[in-house]
């Protein structure tokens, strides 16, 4: 049995109080309301725990459709060869580097040279949110998305030291001159703040699937609710063998890899 | 009392103007960093903390080390330290101010720093570090003001200050422990993930700090009428020797655990430190310098003949501080990021503006320390020799 925050609130009668507080917070976004959060529309996609499955058997080695889609949608700057100042939300990393704990000397041919899609794991037990001194990054209690508030972040980069997956990027320079084409309906960031994949929270609020999922013609990215037994993610995890990145750290990544 | 800092001869003013010039140059570089972003430094997506946070770590240690004179003097009534306790507190005050400045220059959005107060996050160690560091600053300012004020009036300090002083002792230990917790609580960074980090921080701090205090005493003996006397300096040097021995021992423990267990993620950072990884070994010469200087200084401090020779003692204290500065003010922080969580080896070299900003902050610290010492000396009528 799991006893979650909602049960606790109900039990202690704090539910009503917190509902009022939530409404107050929505009315005064300055006090705790999350800027950037799009008002939920009626057709918003919701879940108890969002998760992604990456099907490596379908993902094509040289395809970058999902990466391009994500980075265009979210105004992620491109610093070209300047690797030091690179900002990226989703990218490909050699198999052995993505899964250092699976480092067998001899591997299936198709794996050993493989490059694997990596992005924020939206960990269920995220070390990055634990260390943040301003709660500028936090796990959304209703659906488990690890959010980022670029207006509150002070740029201390403690979260980057704490993330075991290198999922976070810092804006060492002003990103705007480095964005190829600015997507007007998504905010750009300023220098001095951290950013990362946010599971397309604003697209979900508008009833759309994540940009990377939509962009993948080979259906290698499967997105859904881990708490719903019939969801596509649960289905594929039931049928196929999957692994996660550095599970021994107890972060409980919500991104699964079918190999 | 502060007006006393404004009285001084030409040598004093020349020194202060020099410091002010350095501070000016540092501020100019910082202004550039504000406009351009932290991209002006040598840090990168893989090595996200560098010179600034490393100086912060080193200086927290220096600040905490005041306890090594406060404790014997106030708890054990060790009279020989009566003259230098105030100097220890002054070093603590200037070190904490430098620490806070190093954090400010390191963050990407300094204008938002107050968010740490607006959205207090007790789960974050950085939050607690802010609390203990500011508390420690207040404690030391209050203690030194009250004790000095009493000395000026020629009366005993009021009774209420004693519990405050006693409180400052565990508080000093806490600032460095909490600073170690920033690092050693991260599963993502095997190099820092060790319970010995906090004890090691304390040991290195308790040798570097008193060594600096010895140097300050020797310097003041030459430049002013203030003479701490040989006895406290000798006592301090024994403290330095013991603490350094403990530090070297702790480092050896770490090396053994990493190397003998042969766990790759624990070996890799050490390998980078001492030998380099993937042909990248910028840090290695520094680390070897640090290790050999540290050992040499330790030997000079342990052998009574060399320790009792003030000239050699001064050299040993300088060497020891260079060794510990490289170790903590550079290697410890950078190595935590190499290799990166994805196994990449990215090297870090601080850039000239970054170094200038750091020097500027040190100049601010020295400025404050000089001013404070000036006040104390003029109260005691022990200015220029
Ligand atoms: S992958 Fe990293 S950034 Fe994403 S939730 Fe986990 S720890 Fe945080
Ligand atoms: S960089 Fe921003 S999000 Fe990350 S820990 Fe610091 S304040 Fe929080
Ligand atoms: S889920 Fe959205 S934000 Fe995350 S990688 Fe995919 S497109 Fe980018």
């Amino acid at each position: 049995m799991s006893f979650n925050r909602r049960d606790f609130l109900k039990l202690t009668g704090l539910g009503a109080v917190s509902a009022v507080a939530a409404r107050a917070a929505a009315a005064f976004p300055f006090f705790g309301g999350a800027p950037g959060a799009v008002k939920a529309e009626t057709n918003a996609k919701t879940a108890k725990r969002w998760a992604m499955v990456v099907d490596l058997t379908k993902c094509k080695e040289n395809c970058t459709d999902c990466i391009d889609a994500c980075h265009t949608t979210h105004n992620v700057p491109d610093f070209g060869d300047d690797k030091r100042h690179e900002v990226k939300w989703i990218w490909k990393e050699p198999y052995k580097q993505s899964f250092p704990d699976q480092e067998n000397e001899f591997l299936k041919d198709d794996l050993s040279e493989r490059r694997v899609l990596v992005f924020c794991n939206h960990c269920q037990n995220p070390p990055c949110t634990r260390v943040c001194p301003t709660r500028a990054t936090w796990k959304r209690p209703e659906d488990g998305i690890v959010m980022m508030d670029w207006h509150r972040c002070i740029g201390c980069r403690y979260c980057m030291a704490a993330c075991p997956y290198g999922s976070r990027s810092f804006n060492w320079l002003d990103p705007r001159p480095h964005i190829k084409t600015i997507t007007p309906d998504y905010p750009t960031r300023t220098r001095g703040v951290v950013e990362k994949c946010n599971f397309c929270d604003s697209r979900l609020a508008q009833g759309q699937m994540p940009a990377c999922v939509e962009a993948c013609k080979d259906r290698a990215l499967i997105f859904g609710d881990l708490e719903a037994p019939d969801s596509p993610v649960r289905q594929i995890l039931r049928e196929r063998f999957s692994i996660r990145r550095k599970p021994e750290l107890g972060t409980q990544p919500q991104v699964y890899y079918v190999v | 009392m502060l007006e006393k800092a404004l009285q001084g001869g030409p040598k004093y003013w020349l020194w202060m103007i020099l410091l002010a010039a350095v501070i000016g140059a540092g501020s100019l570089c910082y202004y550039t960093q504000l406009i351009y972003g932290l991209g002006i430094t040598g840090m990168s997506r893989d090595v996200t903390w560098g010179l600034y946070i490393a100086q912060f770590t080193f200086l927290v240690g220096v600040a905490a080390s005041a306890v090594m004179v406060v404790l014997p003097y106030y708890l054990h009534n060790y009279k020989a330290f009566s003259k230098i306790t105030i100097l220890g507190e002054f070093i603590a005050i200037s070190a904490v101010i430098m620490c806070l400045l190093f954090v400010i220059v390191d963050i990407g959005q300094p204008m938002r720093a107050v968010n740490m107060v607006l959205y207090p996050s007790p789960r974050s160690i950085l939050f607690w570090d802010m609390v203990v560091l500011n508390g420690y600053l207040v404690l030391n300012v209050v203690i030194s003001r009250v004790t000095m004020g009493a000395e000026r009036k020629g009366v005993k300090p009021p009774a209420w200050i004693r519990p405050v002083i006693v409180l400052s002792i565990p508080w000093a230990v806490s600032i460095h422990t909490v600073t170690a917790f920033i690092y050693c609580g991260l599963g993502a960074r095997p190099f820092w993930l060790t319970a010995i980090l906090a004890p090691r921080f304390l040991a290195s701090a308790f040798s570097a700090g008193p060594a600096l205090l010895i140097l300050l005493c020797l310097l003041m003996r030459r430049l002013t009428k203030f003479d701490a006397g040989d006895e406290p300096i000798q006592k301090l040097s024994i403290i330095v020797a013991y603490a350094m021995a403990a530090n070297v021992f702790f480092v050896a423990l770490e090396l053994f655990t990493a190397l003998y267990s042969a766990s790759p993620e624990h070996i890799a950072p050490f390998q980078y430190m001492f030998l380099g990884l993937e042909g990248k070994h910028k840090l290695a010469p520094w680390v070897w310098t640090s290790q050999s200087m540290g050992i040499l200084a330790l030997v000079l401090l342990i052998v009574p003949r060399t320790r009792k020779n003030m000239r050699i003692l001064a050299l040993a204290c300088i060497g020891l501080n260079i060794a510990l500065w490289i170790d903590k003010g550079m290697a410890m922080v950078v190595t935590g990021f190499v290799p990166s969580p994805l196994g990449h080896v990215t090297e870090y070299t601080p850039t000239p503006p970054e170094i200038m900003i750091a020097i500027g902050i040190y100049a601010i610290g020295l400025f404050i320390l000089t001013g404070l010492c000036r006040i104390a000396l003029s109260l005691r009528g022990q200015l220029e020799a």
Side-chain angles (χ1 to χ4, degrees), chain A residues 30-32 83-89 91 93-94 97-98 100 118 126-127 129-135 149-174 190-193 245-246 248-249, chain B residues 33-50 52-53 106-110 112-116 118-127 181-183 185-189 192 265 278 337 340-344 346-347 351:
Chain A
F30 182 73
F31 300 102
K83 292 286 168 226
R84 281 195 13 229
H85 299 145
E86 197 177 24
V87 177
K88 50 190 177 184
W89 287 21
W91 70 100
E93 199 67 58
Q97 240 118 27
S98 316
V118 293
T129 64
R130 194 184 310 145
V131 301
C132 177
T134 61
R135 285 176 276 150
D149 181 347
W150 305 306
H151 301 277
R152 190 189 286 185
C153 171
I154 58 171
C156 67
R157 310 186 295 290
Y158 198 5
C159 53
M160 295 180 80
C163 171
Y165 308 98
S167 304
R168 291 173 166 262
S169 305
F170 181 72
N171 286 285
W172 297 101
L173 303 166
D174 183 5
T190 170
R191 64 183 183 282
V193 299
R245 296 172 66 197
K246 300 190 183 174
E248 72 278 8
L249 293 178
Chain B
Q33 179 185 297
L34 274 181
I35 304 293
Y36 186 76
L38 277 161
I40 206 170
T41 69
M43 292 184 271
S44 59
R45 194 180 189 279
D46 280 345
V47 184
T48 46
W49 282 340
Y52 299 152
I53 290 298
D106 185 68
I107 62 180
Q109 287 286 336
R112 295 184 192 162
V114 347
N115 281 1
M116 284 179 70
L118 290 181
Y119 309 102
S121 318
R123 287 198 333 152
S124 171
I125 301 297
L126 217 49
F127 167 79
F181 283 178
I182 291 181
Y183 300 99
L186 304 178
R189 309 281 166 184
W192 296 335
E265 59 173 15
E278 297 176 6
F337 294 100
S340 79
L342 288 156
H344 298 294
T346 309
E347 291 210 280
T351 59

Side-chain angles (χ1 to χ4, degrees), chain B residues 156-211:
Chain B
K156 277 189 134 188
W160 62 265
I161 197 71
R162 199 182 148 81
V164 180
I165 293 170
V166 174
L167 174 68
S168 81
I169 293 169
W171 203 289
V173 178
S174 85
I175 61 169
H176 218 18
T177 308
V178 173
T179 305
F181 283 178
I182 291 181
Y183 300 99
C184 70
L186 304 178
R189 309 281 166 184
F191 181 66
W192 296 335
L193 188 70
T194 158
I196 202 117
L197 203 67
R200 201 185 128 187
F201 271 21
L202 287 166
S204 64
F206 292 163
S207 67

Side-chain angles (χ1 to χ4, degrees), chain B residues 50-213:
Chain B
L51 193 63
Y52 299 152
I53 290 298
Q55 299 321 296
F56 158 80
T57 312
F58 178 75
L59 289 167
V60 172
V62 172
S65 70
V67 75
M68 293 323 264
V69 283
V70 171
L71 191 144
Y73 178 57
Y74 284 104
L75 285 193
H76 300 285
N77 211 6
Y78 183 65
K79 286 279 185 292
F81 281 172
S82 66
K83 279 202 234 160
I84 58 168
T85 308
I86 194 79
L87 296 184
E89 284 157 2
F90 287 164
I91 291 185
I93 292 173
S94 32
V96 177
I97 292 174
M98 287 190 270
C99 289
L100 297 172
L101 288 172
F102 272 114
V103 174
I104 293 294
V105 298
D106 185 68
I107 62 180
Q109 287 286 336
M111 272 67 99
R112 295 184 192 162
V114 347
N115 281 1
M116 284 179 70
V117 183
L118 290 181
Y119 309 102
S121 318
R123 287 198 333 152
S124 171
I125 301 297
L126 217 49
F127 167 79
W128 289 109
D129 215 33
M130 176 191 69
V131 172
V132 291
L133 276 176
N134 282 298
Y136 191 66
L137 181 59
V138 171
L139 280 177
N140 274 290
V141 169
V142 168
I143 293 169
S144 51
R145 261 202 91 101
V146 169
T147 50
M148 249 182 8
E151 192 179 317
R152 180 165 65 160
K153 293 194 202 102
V155 295
K156 277 189 134 188
W160 62 265
I161 197 71
R162 199 182 148 81
V164 180
I165 293 170
V166 174
L167 174 68
S168 81
I169 293 169
W171 203 289
V173 178
S174 85
I175 61 169
H176 218 18
T177 308
V178 173
T179 305
F181 283 178
I182 291 181
Y183 300 99
C184 70
L186 304 178
R189 309 281 166 184
F191 181 66
W192 296 335
L193 188 70
T194 158
I196 202 117
L197 203 67
R200 201 185 128 187
F201 271 21
L202 287 166
S204 64
F206 292 163
S207 67
L212 280 177
L213 189 52

Side-chain angles (χ1 to χ4, degrees), chain B residues 10 64 95 97 188 299 323 374:
Chain B
I97 292 174
V299 172
R374 188 86 198 165

Side-chain angles (χ1 to χ4, degrees), chain A residues 32-46:
Chain A
V38 179
K39 230 212 275 134
E41 289 172 19
T42 35
N43 62 342
K45 288 203 186 303
T46 55

Side-chain angles (χ1 to χ4, degrees), chain A residues 52-56 58-74 76 88-92 115-119 197 200 203 210-222:
Chain A
M52 186 89 79
V53 176
V54 181
D55 189 340
L56 289 182
K58 285 188 181 158
C59 177
K60 286 216 194 77
E61 177 65 23
N62 291 319
C63 168
T64 56
D65 288 354
C66 55
I67 302 173
D68 300 338
C70 172
H71 288 177
T72 318
T73 312
H74 299 114
V76 176
K88 50 190 177 184
W89 287 21
I90 174 169
W91 70 100
K92 286 189 174 180
R115 291 181 345 122
V116 176
L117 267 184
V118 293
F119 47 101
C197 154
C200 286
R203 285 176 62 92
C212 55
V213 176
E214 212 173 79
C216 181
K217 291 186 282 292
D218 298 285
R219 297 183 177 279
L221 294 172
I222 301 112

